[in-house]
Amino acid sequence: MLGISTSAAEVTNISRHGFWMLLGDEELFLPFDEFPWFKAASVAAITEVEWPSPEHLYWPVLDVDLSVASIRHPERFPLKSRI
């Protein structure tokens, strides 16, 4: 039987170029050029992130859903926001 996961997604740093997230023992960078939904967001909105499944992240304040694969390999997901 599987136990309840105690891991959480954590934003570890924000710069003018993007932000870093810790997912378990993996750290990922989300550049604002690739993920423009976050560029004008507040620190509070960026740091309020949910990790409902191993391959899915959700920012409720921003109503942004992302697959973890799109962060690891943004070149495989060419669709961009028109913001």
Side-chain angles (χ1 to χ4, degrees), residues 7-83:
S7 295
E10 179 184 356
V11 174
T12 58
N13 192 14
I14 301 174
S15 79
R16 64 186 184 113
H17 302 289
F19 63 98
W20 289 262
M21 290 203 58
L22 190 60
L23 300 178
D25 61 358
E26 179 181 21
E27 190 168 43
L28 300 170
F29 180 65
L30 287 82
F32 294 137
D33 289 346
E34 294 288 335
F35 301 94
W37 310 280
F38 301 103
K39 189 169 189 168
S42 69
V43 170
I46 291 173
T47 59
E48 188 174 328
V49 58
E50 298 173 3
W51 193 15
S53 70
E55 290 299 318
H56 178 235
L57 294 166
Y58 179 59
W59 285 262
V61 174
L62 302 170
D63 195 28
V64 171
D65 285 279
L66 290 177
S67 75
V68 175
S70 71
I71 300 168
R72 289 183 184 126
H73 306 285
E75 70 282 358
R76 296 182 189 168
F77 299 83
L79 297 177
K80 303 275 185 181
S81 167
R82 295 180 193 240
I83 294 176

